[in-house]
Amino acid sequence: MSLAGVQSKLGVRLLDNSQLAIPINGSASTHILKPDSPSLVGSVQNEAYCLTLARLCELATSDVTTGIAVNRRYLLLRRYDRSFMSGRWRRLHQEDFCQALGKPPEAKYERNQTGIRGPTALDMMLLAKRAAGGIGVLTMLDYIAFNIAVCNTDAHAKNYSLLITSRGFEVAPIYDVVSTQVWDGITLNLAQSISGQTRGDHIERRHWEDLADGAGLNATSAIRRIENLFDRVESKIAEARTLVASMPAGDHLVLDSVERAVKNRITRLRTRLASTARVVRPQIETPLDNPRRIYSSALRAANNPKEFKKTVRNLSKDTNLKAHDVRAIALDVLGRKFSSRKSALDALAEADGPELRLLS
């Protein structure tokens, strides 16, 4: 469920006298105004809290405050894609990650109903690396980890952007961060899985390590960076609440739930990060007793949940591979090596070809 369908927003200009105006005749807005939503109680304070917490954790964010107009609360965000030059406000070019990766906006979630696979977390990290180098990929790692820490399941590919300036590309400040878990009716599945894991509470150390490896990062250093970020998030929870309460719209009871959700998430993430480091899977590119049978059995296991355990157990006995390694092969065959079951079966027909190598 995308929050875009239930959150209204309006581009406004903040005048020198602190009044808000609606730009006309193509003039640039300077801020985005988001009124509170009846269906997402406390949305104004929720987003203000998450963005304030991100800033306290040393992530790049836009200036944020809240306000009251008659009986409505609203969030007011300074636009990061605006620059005041030669006496006028000018627009800076940006592209969200759907645009930059050539995906339609309807495919902003990794798993969606368009038939087109949306951008993955790794896709976005690699894009940030190509566009903005080492700083870019580390920034994306921080953003992804932070969104998971605050229980935001709506951090889809249109909620990350690249900013294009005279200096080149840079990853835009983090935006549209909301702790979605505090409301009913919103999925608990992440917008992008972390190495196949779709639930934030279940992300283990190996998932982070696989993501770091894929992005060309040192896995140990990446884990340390993530742990440090979680430490900062936990240490700034109370301060962020105080700052939001001091804004014009004041505090809100929803922040009790947000704080609780973030604390619980950090505890679970830390526990799983502290688990034993992954065991490196053997590369299945050496001759085996019957590689064609291993391949076809792994394929059947991945597509037949009822026979999964039995197939893995029998295959493990026959090949002298450990069961968890066989299981990994079975799970990887479709989702990692091939784009569809048909292409996997086509490759199986060419049993003597290079596609017989189960893991690249």
Side-chain angles (χ1 to χ4, degrees):
M1 174 182 177
S2 172
L3 298 185
V6 290
Q7 275 194 311
S8 302
K9 59 182 68 176
L10 177 69
V12 298
R13 172 78 70 86
L14 183 64
L15 304 178
D16 293 339
N17 61 3
S18 298
Q19 288 187 326
L20 295 175
I22 297 177
I24 59 173
N25 298 329
S27 60
S29 60
T30 60
H31 290 69
I32 294 175
L33 185 150
K34 295 183 178 183
D36 54 12
S37 170
S39 57
L40 298 173
V41 177
S43 60
V44 166
Q45 287 86 352
N46 188 331
E47 186 167 353
Y49 177 86
C50 290
L51 289 174
T52 300
L53 183 58
R55 177 175 59 80
L56 292 174
C57 292
E58 303 175 12
L59 302 186
T61 64
S62 295
D63 294 337
V64 59
T65 188
T66 63
I68 304 176
V70 191
N71 294 321
R72 295 291 298 273
R73 270 65 176 167
Y74 63 85
L75 185 80
L76 190 66
L77 292 158
R78 187 183 186 281
R79 298 194 66 140
Y80 61 77
D81 58 342
R82 298 290 186 268
S83 179
F84 192 73
M85 296 182 290
S86 303
R88 59 179 293 191
W89 285 99
R90 298 179 183 272
R91 297 174 176 87
L92 301 177
H93 185 65
Q94 67 162 352
E95 287 192 357
D96 64 52
F97 276 59
C98 264
Q99 293 172 308
L101 288 166
K103 302 286 186 178
E106 296 79 13
K108 59 189 178 183
Y109 297 100
E110 179 181 346
R111 295 169 175 80
N112 57 75
Q113 304 301 314
T114 67
I116 301 171
R117 193 203 68 174
T120 66
L122 181 56
D123 289 338
M124 296 192 297
M125 288 182 65
L126 291 174
L127 172 62
K129 186 177 184 179
R130 291 193 299 271
I135 293 176
V137 69
L138 291 174
T139 298
M140 277 306 301
L141 178 64
D142 291 342
Y143 288 0
I144 291 168
F146 182 81
N147 271 312
I148 291 170
V150 299
C151 307
N152 179 17
T153 59
D154 203 53
H156 51 70
K158 289 185 68 63
N159 282 346
Y160 298 105
S161 289
L162 289 173
L163 195 58
I164 305 170
T165 71
S166 59
R167 300 181 302 276
F169 291 93
E170 59 187 67
V171 178
I174 194 169
Y175 60 95
D176 282 357
V177 185
V178 183
S179 183
T180 58
Q181 188 167 303
V182 301
W183 295 309
D184 295 330
I186 296 179
T187 181
L188 296 178
N189 291 330
L190 299 171
Q192 290 90 24
S193 66
I194 302 300
S195 304
Q197 179 52 254
T198 60
R199 293 295 179 97
D201 282 343
H202 299 158
I203 299 173
E204 298 181 359
R205 184 186 186 96
R206 62 185 175 86
H207 296 122
W208 292 113
E209 290 174 327
D210 285 347
L211 180 64
D213 279 348
L217 299 174
N218 179 278
T220 301
S221 297
I223 293 295
R224 189 180 307 117
R225 186 181 183 93
I226 293 168
E227 289 173 330
N228 289 338
L229 176 61
F230 292 161
D231 288 343
R232 295 200 302 274
V233 170
E234 187 176 51
S235 69
K236 299 298 183 180
I237 287 175
E239 184 178 352
R241 178 74 177 269
T242 300
L243 290 172
V244 172
S246 68
M247 295 177 184
D251 202 358
H252 196 286
L253 285 176
V254 74
L255 295 186
D256 290 339
S257 299
V258 172
E259 287 185 328
R260 187 162 51 249
V262 174
K263 289 177 182 177
N264 290 340
R265 173 60 58 81
I266 292 292
T267 298
R268 294 188 179 99
L269 288 169
R270 271 218 197 95
T271 299
R272 294 182 182 277
L273 273 175
S275 63
T276 305
R278 64 183 172 179
V279 176
V280 178
R281 297 172 184 166
Q283 293 295 308
I284 315 302
E285 294 195 19
T286 55
L288 296 171
D289 296 338
N290 190 337
R292 180 185 174 90
R293 179 167 179 267
I294 293 172
Y295 187 95
S296 59
S297 296
L299 183 62
R300 287 196 301 274
N303 284 278
N304 192 341
K306 292 183 179 180
E307 296 295 324
F308 187 88
K309 290 183 179 180
K310 180 180 177 181
T311 302
V312 168
R313 185 170 58 250
N314 291 341
L315 193 55
S316 177
K317 291 179 181 178
D318 291 347
T319 62
N320 295 320
L321 287 174
K322 293 183 179 179
H324 72 269
D325 291 323
V326 176
R327 182 177 184 275
I329 296 170
L331 292 174
D332 283 348
V333 164
L334 293 183
R336 186 171 175 179
K337 185 68 176 177
F338 300 101
S339 61
S340 68
R341 184 175 186 274
K342 182 180 183 300
S343 59
L345 289 170
D346 289 344
L348 179 58
E350 302 176 8
D352 296 328
E355 295 293 350
L356 199 56
R357 297 172 179 177
L358 303 185
L359 297 178
S360 60

